[in-house]
Amino acid sequence: MAQRHLFRTSDPAQILPLKTSDTRPPLTTRIPKRCFRLLVFLLLSFSALVWLYRRSPPGIEPFEDEDDAAEHTLPPLYEAYHDYERHLPQHNLSLPFPEGRDAKFFWVPNHVTASGWGNVMQELLLNALLAHETNRAFVFDNYTWARDGPEYAEYNGRLIPARIPLSAIISGPIVGSAFGPGDPTPRAVHREYFHQVCPNPTILDSNEVVGGDLRYDNNVPASRIFDMWVEKLNSINDPCVEIQLSSPQLFEIWLFGAPRILSIWPRLSQSPILREFSWSPLVLGAFARNAHLFEPKTQSFRFLPSYMQPSSPKPTPTELHNVEPILPAAKVDPITGLLVLHIRRGDFADHCSHLANWSSDWNGFNKFATLPDKFRPPYDGGGGQTTEANTKYYFQRCFPTVEQIVERVREVLADQKRLYGGAKELRRVYVMTNGEAAWVDELKEALMWIKPWDSVTSSRDLRLSWEAKPVAQAMDMLVGQRAQVFIGNGFSSLTSNIVLFRMLRELPPGDTRFW
């Protein structure tokens, strides 16, 4: 945590002399020793109780020690999660309608791979929404970096799990929880079960359903493309439908990267796919373990150091493998006083240059009309090249410097004061970032000069277990989702997914901002 430095001096000449009245006997000579010992005992007992409360908040059972990552030389492979998904109770042909032998399925094997969680999640939501709209069981797969081959893949020179089971990241209907009463849609199933019960499915070439002339046309709303798929699936009697692996994805980056994706919002926002979406027990547990970085200090204990302050109970499960929506997106409340900044670094600089050269727009879900910040791509660029002025314009919105970040935070604080006066003061900052440690420290120090924050912390301050580390982006998303005020990157799919949750919760538009 960044703090202002207190300058001390050891020079006796700089120490103020005692007043005559200050030359009193020490406290221990004025209080009977018995009372003094009692006070010390009470203070130590109180401190111990607070420490224990802090370590084990009510209702929270830590699944793993935070420092267990040091015991492992390789990333986790999540074998227990894979096994759990293979044995979901809906994998049973004897179940009554709409499951068992009556179930209808929809499997999309050509889903995006080798991409960040933000890109994967936005496509996952729409594929699952399509299955639900056509009363078919969604067939889910892993969060996949590499479909086949070794258990580990390489990213930026380090090993990562090639395939992470979805139940390690999310829970809810997408990974097999039940829909509400009266909903005729069967629960989602694992792809291995689909292959077992559907050896000869109907296979669709996505190009034959929606051609490139519609997929690449920004004047064609996403709702029209979605309806074409609904009509096609509803026309098929075969209970087993699969998309051809080599055909284009149903919902591509060209769709998500334009405002036309917003036409799907009325349908998505009312669907249990989004409303009952929840983060996994693993992610919620990681949030609870790090809640002291985000949540306000209890007023009665503000004089204590952070590691001794008690935490309020968190919505955390007592079992690690569970697809039921523990904290549905529609019920997630913001954390009072928390400002969250999403700042991409590293190789995102190259991506921002690419966006500038092609005059790219913000992700579509970052362009809700009610949000106050707007972006208009310049007209004097594109086609793979642009001007120096345009590049600077893009970098300010896509890859801001420390100085630009500080300036933007000041602007947002001023807007907050105009909107709410002093009623909703922001007291803490959390920075979601992949920035290097030295850069993060520089940013923290700069942010501390804006105002006397209670704390300024970042993704690098998280204490994560071995299994939580590879899914840390999801935990960051939960923090952004719960921010009182969020400043995100308009070009980022991770930001746009956070914006989806904030719009679903109907948070004030002025509390969701962009660089």
Side-chain angles (χ1 to χ4, degrees):
M1 182 184 300
Q3 296 182 348
R4 298 191 186 280
H5 299 286
L6 298 177
F7 296 96
R8 296 187 176 95
T9 177
S10 59
D11 183 358
Q14 298 295 321
I15 301 175
L16 292 176
L18 291 172
K19 297 180 182 177
T20 304
S21 59
D22 288 331
T23 57
R24 294 170 293 186
L27 180 63
T28 53
T29 64
R30 290 185 286 115
I31 299 178
K33 289 184 178 180
R34 185 176 180 181
C35 294
F36 181 75
R37 286 196 296 268
L38 179 61
L39 286 173
V40 170
F41 172 78
L42 290 174
L43 180 60
L44 291 174
S45 300
F46 173 77
S47 299
L49 287 172
V50 170
W51 182 82
L52 288 171
Y53 187 76
R54 178 67 182 163
R55 294 288 293 171
S56 301
I60 295 179
E61 294 295 333
F63 303 124
E64 298 180 60
D65 185 80
E66 301 96 283
D67 301 320
D68 69 341
E71 302 172 8
H72 302 274
T73 57
L74 292 172
L77 294 177
Y78 301 97
E79 291 95 338
Y81 291 86
H82 286 295
D83 186 65
Y84 171 75
E85 291 179 0
R86 293 187 187 103
H87 294 89
L88 289 172
Q90 55 263 46
H91 297 167
N92 183 351
L93 288 175
S94 64
L95 291 174
F97 178 86
E99 297 177 330
R101 289 180 172 81
D102 296 307
K104 300 173 74 175
F105 305 94
F106 182 51
W107 165 226
V108 188
N110 65 337
H111 60 78
V112 66
T113 62
S115 293
W117 171 246
N119 289 330
V120 170
M121 180 179 156
Q122 63 187 10
E123 181 200 33
L124 180 65
L125 287 171
L126 289 202
N127 285 340
L129 178 67
L130 178 57
H132 181 256
E133 289 278 318
T134 55
N135 296 327
R136 289 179 176 268
F138 178 63
V139 180
F140 65 88
D141 197 4
N142 303 306
Y143 170 31
T144 306
W145 198 263
R147 285 193 176 93
D148 305 302
E151 296 290 344
Y152 295 106
E154 187 174 317
Y155 178 71
N156 280 349
R158 59 185 177 88
L159 290 179
I160 61 172
R163 293 165 287 278
I164 299 178
L166 279 187
S167 63
I169 308 173
I170 66 173
S171 60
I174 295 177
V175 285
S177 73
F179 293 98
D183 193 318
T185 308
R187 287 172 288 181
V189 300
H190 191 270
R191 62 180 173 83
E192 292 182 13
Y193 178 74
F194 171 78
H195 290 312
Q196 177 186 337
V197 299
C198 292
N200 299 296
T202 295
I203 297 180
L204 300 177
D205 183 340
S206 61
N207 254 326
E208 296 178 0
V209 179
V210 181
D213 57 326
L214 298 177
R215 300 201 323 270
Y216 303 136
D217 187 347
N218 279 338
N219 294 315
V220 176
S223 57
R224 179 180 171 189
I225 293 173
F226 189 88
D227 286 337
M228 292 174 70
W229 276 109
V230 170
E231 182 180 358
K232 180 64 178 180
L233 292 178
N234 283 339
S235 71
I236 298 172
N237 292 323
D238 190 339
C240 302
V241 176
E242 176 179 329
I243 302 299
Q244 185 175 302
L245 179 61
S246 60
S247 65
Q249 290 148 12
L250 279 61
F251 308 105
E252 300 168 286
I253 57 171
W254 321 112
L255 192 67
F256 292 106
R260 59 179 176 147
I261 191 65
L262 292 171
S263 60
I264 205 73
W265 177 244
R267 187 173 289 171
L268 180 61
S269 63
Q270 297 303 313
S271 171
I273 295 300
L274 187 63
R275 299 190 70 83
E276 294 298 310
F277 178 99
S278 175
W279 298 108
S280 70
L282 179 62
V283 171
L284 292 175
F287 179 93
R289 188 174 294 122
N290 290 279
H292 61 284
L293 300 177
F294 330 120
E295 297 194 337
K297 299 177 181 179
T298 305
Q299 291 296 324
S300 302
F301 299 95
R302 290 179 69 90
F303 65 93
L304 294 173
S306 61
Y307 63 87
M308 293 179 64
Q309 291 173 10
S311 299
S312 58
K314 313 299 184 306
T316 307
T318 55
E319 56 182 325
L320 195 53
H321 304 295
N322 184 1
V323 296
E324 295 304 314
I326 300 156
L327 185 62
K331 298 180 180 179
V332 174
D333 291 326
I335 298 173
T336 302
L338 179 63
L339 170 64
V340 173
L341 315 177
H342 180 208
I343 306 170
R344 292 291 302 269
R345 304 319 279 178
D347 59 0
F348 209 67
D350 294 333
H351 183 60
C352 294
S353 293
H354 176 80
L355 295 171
N357 289 337
W358 291 91
S359 291
S360 300
D361 204 347
W362 277 354
N363 275 39
F365 282 127
N366 290 330
K367 302 204 73 169
F368 282 94
T370 55
L371 298 178
D373 298 324
K374 312 297 180 184
F375 179 81
R376 291 184 179 180
Y379 294 105
D380 57 342
Q385 58 185 2
T386 192
T387 65
E388 183 179 348
N390 285 347
T391 299
K392 288 182 178 179
Y393 174 62
Y394 269 85
F395 266 67
Q396 183 173 356
R397 311 299 295 273
C398 182
F399 203 82
T401 64
V402 169
E403 292 76 14
Q404 290 168 338
I405 292 167
V406 169
E407 179 183 2
R408 185 63 176 144
V409 170
R410 289 185 188 277
E411 292 171 354
V412 170
L413 290 179
D415 289 343
Q416 288 285 301
K417 191 169 185 178
R418 281 193 292 271
L419 287 170
Y420 309 114
K424 296 176 67 175
E425 184 182 6
L426 296 169
R427 301 294 309 168
R428 295 167 310 287
V429 182
Y430 178 74
V431 183
M432 299 167 46
T433 186
N434 61 335
E436 296 291 338
W439 184 87
V440 174
D441 288 342
E442 178 189 354
L443 174 62
K444 285 182 176 181
E445 190 68 26
L447 290 171
M448 284 300 292
W449 285 101
I450 295 177
K451 60 173 287 185
W453 306 98
D454 286 350
S455 66
V456 179
T457 57
S458 80
S459 307
R460 288 196 166 272
D461 297 308
L462 299 174
R463 296 185 66 186
L464 299 170
S465 69
W466 177 55
E467 288 189 329
K469 280 182 180 293
V471 299
Q473 274 196 344
M475 204 224 70
D476 265 354
M477 288 182 66
L478 174 57
V479 182
Q481 183 181 348
R482 297 200 62 190
Q484 180 178 311
V485 175
F486 175 69
I487 306 179
N489 190 318
F491 299 100
S492 165
S493 56
L494 192 147
T495 280
S496 66
N497 289 328
I498 291 173
V499 171
L500 277 186
F501 290 131
R502 295 176 66 81
M503 294 298 295
L504 178 70
R505 200 66 185 88
E506 297 182 350
L507 300 180
D511 293 351
T512 300
R513 309 297 297 270
F514 302 97
W515 303 114

